[in-house]
Amino acid sequence: MQKPKTSEAQRRTVANYQEKVDRVNCRFPKGTKQRIEATGSTINAFIIKVVEKELEWIEEAEQTPTDSKKNFSDVPFMN
C-alpha cells in the first residue's frame, strides 16, 4: 500500500479552509487578465475588491427609501 502524499492534518486543514470560503469560477473576454494585472493587483484581489464594492453599493441602495432608490440601469449585469 502506498503512503498518501499529504498528511491527515494537512487534509483536515484544507477541508476546514474550504468550509470558510465560497469558490466562484468565471470567464472574461481575452485580454481582461492582462488589464487587471496592469493595475498592479492580483486577479483574485482585484475581483474581490470590485465585487465587495458593488455589493455594498447595491445593499446601500436597497436600504434607502423607495423614492430615492439608486438607478441600476448603469450596472450592466443588473438589467
Side-chain angles (χ1 to χ4, degrees):
M1 184 172 203
Q2 202 169 5
K3 184 178 176 181
K5 292 182 180 181
T6 56
S7 69
E8 181 61 32
Q10 286 174 310
R11 288 190 291 276
R12 282 193 311 265
T13 300
V14 169
N16 186 36
Y17 172 77
Q18 289 176 343
E19 289 178 8
K20 295 179 181 181
V21 296
D22 288 327
R23 182 174 178 92
V24 179
N25 294 320
C26 55
R27 299 181 191 278
F28 295 99
K30 285 276 189 186
T32 304
K33 178 180 174 182
Q34 291 76 19
R35 291 173 62 199
I36 293 172
E37 289 171 339
T39 68
S41 181
T42 66
I43 295 169
N44 196 54
F46 182 86
I47 293 170
I48 289 171
K49 180 177 74 173
V50 171
V51 169
E52 286 180 346
K53 183 177 178 182
E54 196 67 23
L55 285 172
E56 287 174 8
W57 187 80
I58 291 168
E59 290 166 350
E60 178 184 312
E62 290 173 349
Q63 293 175 2
T64 58
T66 308
D67 58 332
S68 63
K69 284 244 183 207
K70 291 186 178 179
N71 182 358
F72 292 113
S73 63
D74 61 332
V75 182
F77 60 85
M78 295 297 289
N79 293 327

